[in-house]
Amino acid sequence: MKNVAVAVAALAAAPAVLGAVTHLTDDCLEVVFKLMNNMSHYSWENGTRSQAILEWKYPQLSVFTPNALFPVADTSNISDIVDIAHWVLLQRPQPLNQSQEVAWLLNATHGGLPPSPSPVLPAQEGESSTPARRDRAKRQDETPTSSASAQPSATSSTPIIVPFLNNTQLPLGAPLLPDGAAGDPASLGIAVMLANMSTNNAVVNNSAYGDSATSELNYQLYHVPRAPNGAISHRTNEVALWADNVYMVPPFLAYYGALNNNKTLLDAAYNQISTYRSVLRNSSINLWQHIALGKEAIDPGYWATGNAWAVAGMARVIATIKHSSFANDMKQEVSDLSAWADEIFKASEALVTPNGLVRNYINNASSFEDSTASALFAAAGLRFSTLKVTNSYVNFSLTLLKAVSHNVNSTGYVTQVTDPLKFTVEGTESPEAQSFVILAYAAYKDWDKMGKPGNTGSKKDPLTDAAGRASVHVGAVLAVAASMFWVLA
């Protein structure tokens, strides 16, 4: 009896069990998915989570669907996407009056402090308030006071040409959430646009979904500080370019443009990636540094997740262009984006460790091996295949996804991750790593359905181990152990 109890305890520990296999089952991924939902709190985490939900649960609404995306398919039953958008609008302070709006815009444009925001309305009975979260300190790049604190009301005008920043005749606009990062709230823009379609532009906390999305668009195009080359800053109170921005802002601009048949916005998405690349790319090694130009956060290193954010953002913009009405007019832009991603993929693939992962600082041999960036690279590489752009990154992606899958522990947490609040060190858990695993497996499933293009291995399932075994959900392991207990008893 004692020996059986010890065996059950050993099975419950389970990292060794999952470590013996490489392909996570749907039951395992459901646990990863639930943790993703419970752990996400900050704007970029929930923006990434919403994208993972779309690709995993509503693939017909993802920009990666092989079918025509615009106009968008049925949005009548997307309650968890609407819940995220609802939470966003609950966080938005009450609109300011016209004179306050003008004062805020002038102050925000020139670095001044905004009026204090109004309190957030409490959720009504039966309404979702906020995603489950863990209490955490502010991210290392957050500042105590954000110049995005106040939220002017939305405008109905759709911007076409970006004016000079000192032009006071600007359409009113504001971010979806108060945030020291100008770029991160935009990652929630697609969820808000889908909620607009699903609810017929419902009003929450005195803000309508569609108007809020337009306000975020105007904020990005007209009021966020810009670098000399026109790159929209990732920060609100200074010009700072972060590689992360390529996943947050350009996909939102492209989606808004495709949805509204506005090629100028698709061009803007492409141009933003181009301007970011011109500043962040090191042409001698073809990797992007993490942060440039800013003073409040400085990181000239080649952060793996930043490079993964960049190629994954490029994949989303390519997908949006290809499924828009302007696909034939933007073949050169797609070609350019593909070539820019290829630079990063090739440089990164050459630096994969013997354990099948990339390091947190990808070209630094002393940096820890990182599941976070590895999972997002895997997702992006497989997406370039499902988009029929190239199969060149399939083997790279499979190598990474196998290794990351080994690092999903018995309770569904992705281990060996970058600390989400301090990107220079290893952390114990990461909401974005949870999302990236879901994105990678969503991409893998689509790739598998297409017949595994580019797969050079001989196994039917390239993610299984040499014996062809797939992973077993820990609940099933414990069930087997319990049955052993009763049989032996």
Side-chain angles (χ1 to χ4, degrees), residues 107-445:
N107 282 338
T109 300
H110 298 292
L113 296 179
S116 298
S118 304
V120 174
L121 293 179
Q124 302 300 313
E125 184 176 355
E127 291 182 335
S128 169
S129 57
T130 181
R133 54 161 291 190
R134 53 197 166 110
D135 291 326
R136 299 188 294 177
K138 276 186 174 290
R139 192 183 181 195
Q140 69 178 20
D141 60 283
E142 292 300 316
T143 53
T145 303
S146 164
S147 64
S149 301
Q151 305 287 335
S153 58
T155 176
S156 60
S157 63
T158 301
I160 298 298
I161 300 173
V162 178
F164 292 108
L165 287 176
N166 64 356
N167 182 349
T168 58
Q169 303 300 313
L170 301 176
L172 300 177
L176 287 168
L177 290 173
D179 202 313
D184 289 342
S187 67
L188 291 152
I190 292 174
V192 171
M193 283 187 274
L194 288 169
N196 171 43
M197 290 179 270
S198 181
T199 67
N200 194 25
N201 200 24
V203 175
V204 177
N205 192 20
N206 291 333
S207 295
Y209 286 118
D211 294 341
S212 298
T214 300
S215 185
E216 172 65 51
L217 178 72
N218 290 342
Y219 176 69
Q220 290 295 328
L221 294 181
Y222 293 88
H223 303 294
V224 178
R226 291 192 178 228
N229 69 351
I232 299 172
S233 175
H234 189 62
R235 302 296 297 171
T236 61
N237 62 344
E238 67 170 355
V239 174
L241 305 189
W242 295 46
D244 315 37
N245 187 276
V246 174
Y247 194 84
M248 311 300 163
V249 174
F252 166 65
L253 299 178
Y255 192 93
Y256 197 107
L259 197 63
N260 291 280
N261 206 35
N262 184 331
K263 184 176 181 293
T264 301
L265 293 177
L266 287 161
D267 289 334
Y270 165 83
N271 288 330
Q272 283 305 303
I273 296 173
S274 177
T275 55
Y276 263 71
R277 174 178 174 269
S278 68
V279 174
L280 297 180
R281 172 178 171 253
N282 181 328
S283 59
S284 65
I285 59 175
N286 277 333
L287 292 171
W288 288 23
Q289 71 179 78
H290 184 199
I291 303 170
L293 305 183
K295 295 180 180 179
E296 64 182 8
I298 300 171
D299 189 6
Y302 303 99
W303 189 46
T305 304
N307 281 273
W309 282 126
V311 292
M314 291 179 207
R316 292 174 65 193
V317 172
I318 288 172
T320 307
I321 291 172
K322 286 172 70 73
H323 294 129
S324 76
S325 60
F326 304 104
N328 289 333
D329 298 327
M330 299 187 71
K331 290 181 179 179
Q332 184 58 54
E333 286 82 353
V334 168
S335 177
D336 289 344
L337 291 167
S338 302
W340 300 342
D342 183 71
E343 295 169 346
I344 297 173
F345 274 122
K346 285 182 177 177
S348 302
E349 185 173 22
L351 296 169
V352 172
T353 71
N355 293 322
L357 297 167
V358 294
R359 296 186 182 278
N360 185 47
Y361 281 84
I362 198 163
N363 64 336
N364 185 340
S366 65
S367 185
F368 63 89
E369 295 175 312
D370 175 40
S371 297
T372 309
S374 298
L376 186 56
F377 266 123
L382 290 171
R383 284 305 180 191
F384 272 89
S385 178
T386 65
L387 286 169
K388 299 181 179 179
V389 174
T390 179
N391 297 321
S392 298
Y393 325 123
V394 164
N395 290 331
F396 174 51
S397 300
L398 295 176
T399 297
L400 295 173
L401 189 51
K402 285 181 185 179
V404 170
S405 298
H406 275 297
N407 285 342
V408 177
N409 72 14
S410 61
T411 54
Y413 285 92
V414 186
T415 65
Q416 210 168 317
V417 295
T418 302
D419 188 311
L421 301 181
K422 192 174 182 182
F423 40 73
T424 55
V425 301
E426 185 171 354
T428 56
E429 57 188 68
S430 166
E432 58 205 57
Q434 303 290 133
S435 294
F436 294 164
V437 168
I438 296 301
L439 289 170
Y441 270 93
Y444 180 88
K445 285 195 169 188

